Amino acid sequence: MKKILPLLFSLFGVIIFSQKVSFETLFNDKISIRALEIHDDKVWYSGTDSKFGYVDLRNTQNQKQIRLSEKKLQFRTLAQDETSFYAINIESPAYFFKIDKKNLKAEIFHTDSVKTAFYDALLVVENRLGYAFSDPDSNNVFKLAKLKLFDNTNVYFENFSQKLYLESGEAAFAASNTNISSKGDYIWIATGGVKSRIFRFNKNHLEASFEIFNTSIIQGESSQGIYSIDFANDRFGIAVGGDYTKQEANINNIATTNDGGKTWQIQASGKNAGYMTCVKIKPGSKGREMVAVGDHHISYSSDFGKTWKKISDEKGLFVCKWIDKKTMVFAGKDRIVKMKFK
């Protein structure tokens, strides 16, 4: 039996890898999109030129777009709770927008005017608290990162009660709003640049200290490090990235953890399609199956991220989300597309 099981898993992987995918364009516009949410059978997006909107998955002719500001703001974050969407523009001043799901009325409930404000990630957990992560303020000698909290009643909390210090040259990448993840009791944040690390804290104990874990993901330059993370549970997680200036480089750009982020194991080094900006674990797969996208490819793994197969040469896509176990949506330069496993 011990010999048969590995063979069965191997054959299973071959069968999955041999599956073909089909693509359908849902939306075209002059826009760059790096953040997506799924709600009410619609794909919601935020992007460049202050654009926010949706396209209906059942009827692509049903779509709507609004501008959150008369200014040409760039949005790379998007999150939601039961009643609202939330988005923060990159660069300063950073405006915290709340958009009502019923009437799409938008309001600004907080402004960060620090010159170096740059919000890389936004996450709402359990329809309760929002977590917004920004690069450090340059005038802070100790590089104190900013993690701000808010709730859906517009009660705003200033910086997190505990201190999170980044090293000089360490920051985060606003590539797909997925360098932050939450499962169970934990929230994880990934950084890159000179250092590429994982910060973990227990969301039920906000007074507790951050746990900081090193990784072996490629790092050392401002363009290198972790760009995206995802967790199946409070134990298994995946981190992907690389170097956006060297898209085909595929050494030490994928790692997995089996202990909640404490230790990371490099996977498929030199044996993957290169730089990745977003990774998403398939719902219900417990981490076995996942898809990652980079500017020049879409790749798939069926063995907990140990081996990867390029399943598409689609270019210019930065972010992805699962709709169901056979369908995903991707967005990036000027479009949103749906991919279906046949």
Side-chain angles (χ1 to χ4, degrees), residues 8-32:
L8 289 176
F9 286 137
S10 176
L11 289 174
F12 176 77
V14 171
I15 292 171
I16 293 296
F17 278 164
S18 67
Q19 287 185 345
K20 295 182 180 180
V21 295
S22 62
F23 288 88
E24 176 190 355
T25 299
L26 304 179
F27 169 84
N28 285 111
D29 187 25
K30 188 175 181 182
I31 187 175
S32 178

Side-chain angles (χ1 to χ4, degrees), residues 62-120:
N62 178 23
Q63 51 184 268
K64 183 179 180 65
Q65 183 180 95
I66 63 173
R67 293 193 62 186
L68 296 177
S69 170
E70 294 182 357
K71 301 177 181 179
K72 290 189 175 182
L73 304 178
Q74 294 189 53
F75 289 93
R76 297 189 180 187
T77 60
L78 187 64
Q80 64 173 312
D81 61 21
E82 291 180 347
T83 62
S84 306
F85 291 101
Y86 301 89
I88 310 170
N89 61 287
I90 60 172
E91 302 175 336
S92 181
Y95 301 107
F96 285 52
F97 284 86
K98 176 182 178 181
I99 306 106
D100 188 284
K101 284 184 174 180
K102 290 183 178 180
N103 56 27
L104 299 189
K105 181 180 178 180
E107 62 174 302
I108 297 172
F109 65 94
H110 175 68
T111 301
D112 186 343
S113 299
V114 176
K115 290 183 179 180
T116 54
F118 197 105
Y119 283 85
D120 305 283

